[in-house]
Amino acid sequence: RREDIPSLLFAFMCSAFALRQWVNGKMSQALGIGHSSDAFAGYLALEYMTMPLAVMSGSLFLSALVPGSHYKRFIYAVAVLPGCALILFTSLADRIVYTASIKIYELHILLSCLGALVYLGHKAFVGHGLARRLCFAFGILALGVINDVLHSERIIVSTFIGPYTFIAFVLVQTGILSGVAARAHQKAEHLGENLQKEVQSQTRE
């Protein structure tokens, strides 16, 4: 169903974050697997790939919920195409090379987050109701992501809060998606009732 594309993209975004938490939390090692040097290299590459994956799926998700031609061009130029290039780079380059290029991954994240906040803020300002709620939800997530990037670069001294802000984002976002689905169901019921009245009227005539 074409109207369910935002839910699918949201699932991809959540999967990317979940995969990143699995790798960072060393869950496989805790279960007694993945202790070899090859496994470490694979997990490290996977950790770096989850960054562009989350950015790409998150940007496409926002674009699907609040469509706009200018923002769509922006995310393909800043989030999607560079994200694909970063995934390819990670899979082909030596781990010493791509880990030394961490600032490129972080720049990809920051530019995509800032672009999304500006776009949602503009849409909210002109009266787009869904954009207002999305701006609040994504603002929470962006706050955690930007904090973690700055903290990892030792620009600020704080702690990693990204996973917690993502949980808050998921909770708010689930409510938004539920509201969209509920409104679609109410619209279908309303159309069905009107159609039934129309059929009865035509039958009487």
Side-chain angles (χ1 to χ4, degrees), residues 7-49:
S7 298
L8 178 64
L9 292 170
F10 185 56
F12 284 144
M13 182 182 178
C14 291
S15 299
F17 273 91
L19 186 59
R20 182 169 180 79
Q21 285 304 112
W22 173 274
V23 174
N24 284 341
K26 297 180 173 58
M27 295 297 293
S28 298
Q29 292 88 333
L31 295 174
I33 56 177
H35 290 286
S36 66
S37 59
D38 290 338
F40 171 77
Y43 283 132
L44 186 62
L46 196 58
E47 177 186 351
Y48 273 69
M49 287 181 187

Side-chain angles (χ1 to χ4, degrees), residues 93-115:
D94 186 86
R95 64 176 178 265
I96 297 175
V97 176
Y98 66 74
T99 53
S101 307
I102 181 64
K103 286 183 172 56
I104 299 175
Y105 295 81
E106 293 172 344
L107 182 63
H108 180 238
I109 294 170
L110 289 175
L111 287 177
S112 300
C113 284
L114 291 174

Side-chain angles (χ1 to χ4, degrees), residues 14 55 60-61 65 73 94 106 121 131-132 136 178-179 196:
C14 291
V55 169
L60 290 170
F61 167 66
L65 275 181
R73 286 194 293 269
D94 186 86
E106 293 172 344
R132 289 175 181 170
F136 171 72
S178 298
Q196 183 68 24

Side-chain angles (χ1 to χ4, degrees), residues 168-191:
F169 171 77
V170 169
L171 291 174
V172 176
Q173 203 54 51
T174 302
I176 293 173
L177 289 175
S178 298
V180 170
R183 284 191 293 274
H185 182 68
Q186 289 172 353
K187 184 178 179 181
E189 284 186 334
H190 178 69
L191 291 173

Side-chain angles (χ1 to χ4, degrees), residues 76-143:
Y76 274 94
V78 175
V80 177
L81 293 178
C84 292
L86 284 173
I87 292 172
L88 187 63
F89 170 66
T90 308
S91 62
L92 296 178
D94 186 86
R95 64 176 178 265
I96 297 175
V97 176
Y98 66 74
T99 53
S101 307
I102 181 64
K103 286 183 172 56
I104 299 175
Y105 295 81
E106 293 172 344
L107 182 63
H108 180 238
I109 294 170
L110 289 175
L111 287 177
S112 300
C113 284
L114 291 174
L117 285 174
V118 170
Y119 174 70
L120 291 175
H122 169 71
K123 284 289 188 179
F125 180 75
V126 298
H128 196 294
L130 181 58
R132 289 175 181 170
R133 296 190 292 275
L134 275 173
C135 192
F136 171 72
F138 190 75
I140 295 173
L141 176 61
L143 177 66

